Amino acid sequence: MGAVGSDGVVLAADARASLGGRFVTNQRMRKIAPVDDRTAVAFAGSVSDAQAFVRRLRTELRLYEMRHGSPASVETAATTAGDLVRRGPYRVLDLVLGGVDEEPSVYDIGQGGGVMQSDYAASGSGMQLAYGTLEGAYESDLPVAELATVVSAAVRNATERDTASGDGMTVATITDEALDIDAYDGVDSAMASITDSASESGAGPIGNEESNGEVV
């Protein structure tokens, strides 16, 4: 899921990969991937589809930059992502793409390739639970440090009832200065670290237990 704040974007996802929500195949899955310096995508669905999609999207955005002499805007990245989903061989893939150029923005990209800009968006099996939290707590003027607590709480609430979600959390904060992706081994430890960071600084990057920008 992702949300727009006053100074950037926050994306967050759980770390569980499963077979139809019945069997856990991996507990350290990174469901957020950077696609350029200020844009990242969170995904739900088939792991193989997500890995192939991220590689293709990165390639398309690099080609765009070579042709035009400047990086693609977040809107262009979202449109390109939607075109790839619509034309590609991806069987099950839901995306939330977020980034910062002139201003922060988040796009919900559905399985059919539809692209919708929104203040916040969620996808995957726990999305109904996540939306319940986001709709009750989201405010558009929150800085990313405070917004991260809201988005992470939405992930945590989804993991409490959705059997296909859980195990850990990955959180990405994107501002006009940096794109930071932090991974946590547990949902509770993620919430504690993120909440402490927000109370201490009120803004800025989130502290992490383990960080690795290359998700796939």
Side-chain angles (χ1 to χ4, degrees), residues 7-181:
D7 56 344
V9 167
V10 176
L11 301 176
D14 71 295
R16 176 176 295 176
S18 68
L19 294 174
R22 298 185 300 274
F23 179 78
V24 178
T25 58
N26 192 292
Q27 296 175 296
R28 297 173 64 85
M29 181 66 193
R30 306 291 182 85
K31 300 180 183 179
I32 300 176
V35 292
D36 68 17
D37 290 343
R38 296 293 182 273
T39 307
V41 62
F43 53 82
S46 164
V47 173
S48 61
D49 284 351
Q51 291 175 336
F53 170 83
V54 168
R55 288 193 293 266
R56 180 68 184 276
L57 180 58
R58 286 171 176 166
T59 299
E60 292 295 329
L61 296 182
R62 289 191 190 105
L63 289 172
Y64 179 97
E65 184 171 2
M66 291 172 63
R67 290 168 182 154
H68 297 271
S70 61
S73 66
V74 181
E75 181 181 8
T76 298
T79 302
T80 302
D83 289 342
L84 290 177
V85 171
R86 186 165 50 253
R87 295 185 285 107
Y90 312 111
R91 297 160 296 175
V92 182
L93 194 59
D94 282 319
L95 307 167
V96 176
L97 184 145
V100 176
D101 40 38
E102 294 182 359
E103 60 183 18
S105 55
V106 162
Y107 292 85
D108 182 8
I109 303 170
Q111 293 186 28
V115 178
M116 295 181 291
Q117 186 174 5
S118 179
D119 288 337
Y120 55 84
S123 65
S125 58
M127 62 184 294
Q128 292 174 317
L129 298 165
Y131 270 119
T133 302
L134 289 172
E135 290 177 351
Y138 173 78
E139 296 178 16
S140 60
D141 60 349
L142 290 176
V144 292
E146 296 179 32
L147 181 62
T149 63
V150 174
V151 176
S152 300
V155 173
R156 178 195 60 195
N157 292 347
T159 64
E160 289 179 351
R161 292 289 182 177
D162 177 39
T163 59
S165 304
D167 295 314
M169 194 183 299
T170 305
V171 180
T173 58
I174 310 171
T175 67
D176 58 3
E177 297 178 353
L179 188 163
D180 297 313
I181 299 182

